[in-house]
Amino acid sequence: MKQRSFNLIALVAIFSIGGILNGNIQAETRPPNIVVIMADDLGYGDLSCYGATALETPNIDRLAAEGQKFTSGYCSASTCTPTRYSFLTGTYAFRKKGTGIAPPNSPALIQPGTPTIASILRTSGYKTAVIGKWHLGLGSEMPDWNGLLKPGPLEIGFDRCLLLPTTNDRVPQVYVENHRVLNLDPADPLWVGKKKPSPDHPTGLTHRDTLKMDWSHGHNSTIHNGISRIGFYTGGHAARFRDEDLSDRWVEESIKWIESNRDHPFFLFFSSHDLHVPRIVHERFQGATKLGPRGDAIVELDWCVGELTKTLDRLKLSENTLVVFCSDNGPVMDDGYKDDAIEKQGKHQPAGPYQGGKYNVYEGGTRTPFITRWTGKIAPGVSDEMVCTIDLAASCATLAGASLPNNACLDSFDVSDALCGKEKASGRDHLVQQDNGQGGNYGLRVGDWKLLRHDSKKTKNTGLRLQGRPVSRYMLFNLATDPSEQHDVIAENEEIANQLKQQLQDLIAAGRSRP
Ligand code: NG6
Ligand code: CA
């Protein structure tokens, strides 16, 4: 009896000391939560903290004022799918076939088992979620819309997802929650395809006068919510959402998810659809700016950021959370709908001082807003260091105390010190930019030099021009004296151009760029 009570006391003592120690250790060593907010088609000049005067973005401006605002922050590509592929895998999308803009029935582009920022953080004890636009395909050959949508985010490191499967100008307008279409009624199966399902199927061509937003190019197939889209679909009516409600739903879901995962380190990828077309914001933001729906969508995006950061404040998580704000590619004005983006542009410069935007490899295509905030850890300031969304995998791994597998995240550099605004910390010394998928065009920035290499025949066909002249295969710009890439100085700098051409070719051929 005596012996037993002694054992019991000893056991209780060991557990309590262990508990206290554990508690202390946990509080001191718990890695930061990470919230990546990725905007869609947001350009360098689209926010008031980056110089816009035609609208106000107070919530994003506050992030910038409280953290680091990067002037050389990039996404990897000037379209969505390759940037997202590179952000998650830490590997340039031009290394993998089929990573251009994904169609509605695209299979999963990232194979299960591929290490990603999410899987690396999850292995380090993080809870992980992606809420918002996906656009990286679902399923092994194509999405099984009425069955299991697998593989998808859950097979590459996310615990939870609530997704718009592709982009909202592509069919279908349904949410995917984990492995299934949410609220799907089996009696009304969802069909998605490339061809018109029946001769009398209403489209943006046959029922153009019924549309609430007219199309300008493409986007004239199946109509939902008064908007015609890319691709056709039928059924799944109970599952369909209203475009106006996307942001509200994702914010609501994100807040719930943060609240229920606050006891663990967490990684949330909040993948906004603002300001991609169709720019249909909630009624309360319609007319918020003089810029038309494109400007209103920036205000809606800013509202989302405000709701997320307020939640972190309310839950007292801001001091333990790194927030990264970025974009997936540069700006575009008319991207297929007549939404007055050009007519109401006025003096607004969506790419700021930069040339080009979405779909090309000028700076405007990939140099985008990039902000990091971690209250109490990141000193407020402006950084000119070069950082890219592709670096978040290696950098967040470092912050989480994880190491990268040697054969993973092949182009992701650990720039965590630069992201955290540490004095004398450097970002990248070079960066490859691309437009859309494999076999397209490249940009290589090294210091102030920028080399452009146009491989794609399409570029010639679509007639990309600079100052009225068609672009050449190779072009060279000095960003220090000519940030808006107006004057091609390749003829005067042959030696530098040759070095950069070789460096770019070596980076492509080597299959990886990280040591
Ligand atoms: C293009 C679409 C454009 C947009 C883009 C993808 C046409 C004519 N254009 O093919 O509207 O959807 O794909 O944008 O269909 S991204 O931001 O997701 O890369
Ligand atoms: Ca985009």
Side-chain angles (χ1 to χ4, degrees):
M1 185 67 198
K2 246 185 166 179
Q3 185 61 36
R4 264 176 62 194
S5 57
F6 172 78
N7 282 349
L8 202 69
I9 293 164
L11 217 67
V12 169
I14 290 166
F15 271 109
S16 348
I17 293 169
I20 294 163
L21 279 180
N22 267 341
N24 287 343
I25 288 167
Q26 244 193 345
E28 273 166 30
T29 58
R30 179 176 155 162
N33 310 311
I34 297 165
V35 176
V36 175
I37 304 171
M38 187 175 273
D40 199 344
D41 298 1
L42 180 78
Y44 190 89
D46 273 328
L47 303 173
S48 36
C49 54
Y50 276 87
T53 51
L55 45 65
E56 294 288 329
T57 48
N59 293 301
I60 305 172
D61 294 3
R62 188 186 137 206
L63 271 189
E66 294 176 356
Q68 288 283 312
K69 181 181 95 169
F70 288 85
T71 61
S72 282
Y74 289 83
C75 47
S76 307
S78 59
T79 58
C80 162
T81 302
T83 282
R84 287 155 200 266
Y85 175 89
S86 300
F87 157 55
L88 291 179
T89 63
T91 298
Y92 286 133
F94 62 74
R95 303 208 188 282
K96 175 141 176 159
K97 226 174 138 208
T99 49
I101 300 171
N105 271 334
S106 168
L109 298 180
I110 304 174
Q111 296 318 307
T114 309
T116 65
I117 181 171
S119 70
I120 292 163
L121 292 174
R122 191 179 189 213
T123 307
S124 314
Y126 279 63
K127 298 286 173 192
T128 55
V130 49
I131 295 176
K133 166 167 162 172
W134 183 238
H135 212 183
L136 285 165
L138 294 166
S140 49
E141 268 153 43
M142 64 178 276
D144 176 4
W145 297 107
N146 300 289
L148 279 182
L149 290 161
K150 205 172 164 180
L154 269 49
E155 284 63 46
I156 54 167
F158 289 100
D159 296 320
R160 167 153 182 79
C161 68
L162 181 72
L163 309 172
L164 164 72
T166 54
T167 54
N168 205 20
D169 58 344
R170 284 170 173 69
V171 296
Q173 277 53 61
V174 297
Y175 293 116
V176 170
E177 185 183 44
N178 299 330
H179 285 135
R180 291 196 182 268
V181 169
L182 187 67
N183 299 330
L184 187 69
D185 174 2
D188 180 28
L190 177 61
W191 171 88
V192 175
K194 267 201 234 165
K195 291 207 178 116
K196 194 164 159 157
S198 61
D200 59 351
H201 181 83
T203 69
L205 286 171
T206 61
H207 289 64
R208 198 164 183 177
D209 55 349
T210 67
L211 301 176
K212 71 176 173 195
M213 184 182 271
D214 196 7
W215 52 272
S216 58
H217 52 273
H219 305 94
N220 53 20
S221 303
T222 292
I223 301 172
H224 168 68
N225 193 23
I227 299 151
S228 50
R229 324 267 168 166
I230 299 174
F232 296 93
Y233 71 124
T234 57
H237 289 87
R240 298 188 188 191
F241 56 67
R242 254 179 21 118
D243 308 65
E244 289 84 346
D245 298 329
L246 275 180
S247 285
D248 281 3
R249 183 74 169 87
W250 289 337
V251 162
E252 184 194 3
E253 194 66 29
S254 299
I255 294 175
K256 265 200 251 157
W257 188 81
I258 293 175
E259 279 169 348
S260 52
N261 288 281
R262 56 189 289 197
D263 293 337
H264 310 264
F266 61 81
F267 167 58
L268 170 65
F269 173 25
F270 182 86
S271 180
S272 176
H273 189 263
D274 285 323
L275 39 158
H276 198 285
V277 298
R279 297 167 182 135
I280 305 285
V281 296
H282 192 269
E283 283 80 356
R284 68 185 186 282
F285 298 111
Q286 292 174 10
T289 68
K290 294 199 172 107
L291 297 175
R294 186 176 184 279
D296 299 348
I298 299 176
V299 171
E300 184 174 82
L301 166 71
D302 185 67
W303 172 82
C304 296
V305 173
E307 293 305 295
L308 296 177
T309 47
K310 265 190 250 162
T311 302
L312 296 174
D313 289 347
R314 173 169 59 81
L315 300 175
K316 307 216 171 349
L317 292 170
S318 296
E319 292 187 0
N320 196 24
T321 304
L322 169 68
V323 180
V324 179
F325 177 86
C326 55
S327 177
D328 72 336
N329 53 251
V332 56
M333 301 311 276
D334 179 346
D335 206 15
Y337 292 94
K338 293 185 188 169
D339 62 8
D340 284 345
I342 295 170
E343 291 79 353
K344 296 193 170 170
Q345 182 178 355
K347 292 200 171 101
H348 180 65
Q349 293 293 325
Y354 300 112
Q355 169 89 239
K358 187 170 179 176
Y359 308 117
N360 57 63
V361 288
Y362 289 116
E363 287 292 284
T366 50
R367 202 195 288 209
T368 36
F370 201 114
I371 299 165
T372 55
R373 188 198 71 167
W374 178 359
T375 307
K377 286 281 185 351
I378 296 184
V382 176
S383 171
D384 296 328
E385 291 303 320
M386 181 153 59
V387 295
C388 178
T389 48
I390 202 169
D391 299 323
L392 291 171
S395 305
C396 292
T398 298
L399 295 174
S403 50
L404 293 181
N406 178 44
N407 60 350
C409 305
L410 303 175
D411 303 291
S412 188
F413 284 71
D414 174 10
V415 293
S416 52
D417 284 349
L419 293 177
C420 291
K422 292 206 180 135
E423 238 176 277
K424 296 195 186 129
S426 9
R428 298 178 145 260
D429 61 4
H430 73 277
L431 177 70
V432 182
Q433 298 140 276
Q434 65 171 97
D435 52 2
N436 183 28
Q438 205 178 40
N441 303 314
Y442 301 93
L444 171 65
R445 179 170 167 195
V446 181
D448 287 331
W449 290 107
K450 168 84 180 282
L451 180 82
L452 268 60
R453 171 173 138 181
H454 290 111
D455 283 10
S456 160
K457 287 199 191 83
K458 247 171 111 193
T459 303
K460 286 183 201 119
N461 298 339
T462 51
L464 186 60
R465 299 174 92 79
L466 180 65
Q467 295 185 328
R469 292 190 306 273
V471 297
S472 318
R473 171 132 202 261
Y474 285 106
M475 299 167 97
L476 182 73
F477 298 94
N478 183 339
L479 298 177
T481 53
D482 180 25
S484 49
E485 294 163 288
Q486 296 286 323
H487 309 288
D488 179 5
V489 291
I490 199 157
E492 302 92 295
N493 296 280
E494 210 179 315
E495 204 177 311
I496 289 164
N498 286 339
Q499 276 169 22
L500 293 178
K501 282 183 196 174
Q502 191 60 50
Q503 186 175 351
L504 176 58
Q505 187 48 39
D506 289 348
L507 283 163
I508 296 168
R512 66 186 294 159
S513 57
R514 123 176 131 78

